[in-house]
Amino acid sequence: MKKLALHWQIIIGLVLGVVWAILSSKFGWSEFTLNWIAPFGTIFINLLKLIAVPLVLFSIINGVANIGDPSSLGRMGGKTLLAYLITTILAVTVGLTLVNLMVPGKLVDEQSRIDNRISYEIWAASEGLEIKDGINYLQDPAYMQRAKEISDISGKELQDAVVNEKMQTASKAKEAGPLQPLVDIVPQNIFISLGDNGLMLQVIFFALFFGISLLFIPRDKAQPVMDFMDGVMEVFLKMVDLVMRAAPFFVFALLAGVVSQMAGDDINKVTEIFKGLSWYSLAVFLGLMLMIFVVYPLIVKIFIKGISYIGFFKAISPAQTLAFSTSSSAATLPVTMECVEDNLGVDKKITSFVLPIGATVNMDGTCLYQAVAVVFLAQLHMIDLTLGQQLTIVLTATLASIGSAAVPSAGLVMLIIVLQSVGLNPAWIAIILPVDRILDMCRTVVNVTGDATVSSLIAKSEGMLNYPGRNLRKGW
């Protein structure tokens, strides 16, 4: 009997994990699931992160050092950043288009939206902010009594510990000076940076600095270091291979834990939570699916001849399924590199340079979700954002995505900054928290698919793409 392909095993693990979680909620097994099954999912993510961070360090050093010509590095780096910027802007545009066409926030019953609007005006008055559209419900006597009732409720809304924690993190980012992001990229101690996923940009900076320095020393001095880096890379890739053999079980445990945590022992609770957010979730989901199944394949079709639609997805499907289950571009990075190299025929010099940068800088799915979320929350509070304010969302979401850590739910912190950029209440993230984990899984698939697309484009432009189905010539 032919052995089932790994990505099908992972998909089966995904399905069984969700089924188990539903059964555990129905029969009251959630405590058992969270105590005895979910920890294996945590172990899985920890193992991948254990491999991912040093793999980023050594792969970038190895990739930069093997380029040989410093001028090639500058050319390739410029192409990479430009390509990632273009796909990010496309993603935000898709998100804004969908949320304006579907208007999911206006599909909620009117009384709830009026209450939300009054809450917004009370908050804006307390913060000394101008009401966005110039309409003031607080000046209407018909809503005065309701406003007094809501003002008591609003004071309690900020007590959510999760929201407060994320607001504090965003506040620190907002209060920093204009050049603080540049300062934050340069590490004081690389070992501290390696120990914190939030400092991945510092790891990339050090790796680029180290690799570039290798290019400017005599070859006989640099070669032993390069050989060492190459050997370490092989060790980490073997670690990936060993971990992935157990991926179907780990993925089962991960999904069982995530769904059980949301449902508890009452499956109806999940139904109620998702009912109010269904249209918002649908808008985000449609946007993400458009990026995965239309935008990226279209880019590949236009610029790369020979890679079929089915062939593209078949090549990267293991990375996509793993990205969905882990919600982490960084944790998926080792598998993404393997898929792009072995299945799409991208040269190792390209993958070791482009993909680690993409795992940190390219957050197309996160940007799309932020754009939809902000406009949805505005609609939910009866606020009509102008075109200029929505363009501000595009700019802020694009810049914020560069600072997003490639780990689960990091986009929520960045979403607070995006909300503040258009003068909306950052505490509103509490509204979308219940469905964030599921959508986070989907947007991570977009991020990983975008990374694979851009690395293929760069490889094609550099004459380093050798797709198994057809040899390709250099040039776009």
Side-chain angles (χ1 to χ4, degrees), residues 32 50 57 110 153 169 181 190 216 218 248 296 331 372 393 418 458 461:
F32 171 83
L50 170 71
L57 175 66
E110 187 176 2
I153 298 172
T169 304
I190 186 57
F216 289 97
Y296 293 133
V372 175
I393 294 172
V418 178
I458 302 302
S461 70

Side-chain angles (χ1 to χ4, degrees), residues 118-119 122 145-156:
I118 294 171
S119 295
I122 292 170
Q145 182 59 38
R146 186 58 184 154
K148 290 179 180 178
E149 295 173 4
I150 290 177
S151 63
D152 294 330
I153 298 172
S154 298
K156 297 174 185 176

Side-chain angles (χ1 to χ4, degrees), residues 363-397:
M363 297 290 171
D364 294 348
T366 302
C367 286
L368 187 150
Y369 135 82
Q370 289 173 345
V372 175
V374 172
V375 178
F376 163 74
L377 290 170
Q379 293 170 352
L380 198 62
H381 292 77
M382 302 184 76
I383 304 166
D384 291 323
L385 294 175
T386 64
L387 178 61
Q389 290 163 346
Q390 294 195 26
L391 289 176
T392 301
I393 294 172
V394 174
L395 177 62
T396 312

Side-chain angles (χ1 to χ4, degrees), residues 116 163 273 277 376-377 380-381 427-435:
N116 291 340
V163 177
I273 288 172
L277 297 171
F376 163 74
L377 290 170
L380 198 62
H381 292 77
W428 291 349
I429 65 165
I431 298 171
I432 60 173
L433 274 177
V435 294

Side-chain angles (χ1 to χ4, degrees), residues 10 265-266 329 334 353 355 382 474-476:
I10 293 175
D265 287 330
D266 182 10
S329 302
F353 177 77
L355 288 178
M382 302 184 76
K474 181 176 178 179
W476 284 1

Side-chain angles (χ1 to χ4, degrees), residues 4 20 25 60 80 101 104 109 137 155 159 173 194 204 257 270 300 323 338 377 383 389 392 425 469:
L4 201 62
W20 174 271
S25 296
I60 292 181
T80 300
L101 289 176
D109 68 278
Y137 277 59
Q159 299 304 314
L194 286 168
I204 289 180
V270 173
V300 172
E338 189 175 359
L377 290 170
I383 304 166
Q389 290 163 346
T392 301
N425 191 347

Side-chain angles (χ1 to χ4, degrees), residues 176-185:
L179 294 181
Q180 190 60 41
L182 186 62
V183 174
D184 291 340
I185 290 175

Side-chain angles (χ1 to χ4, degrees), residues 323 327 407-410 435-445:
S327 298
V407 294
S409 297
V435 294
D436 180 72
R437 190 69 172 91
I438 300 298
L439 294 177
D440 194 22
M441 294 173 171
C442 298
R443 61 183 184 251
T444 305
V445 178

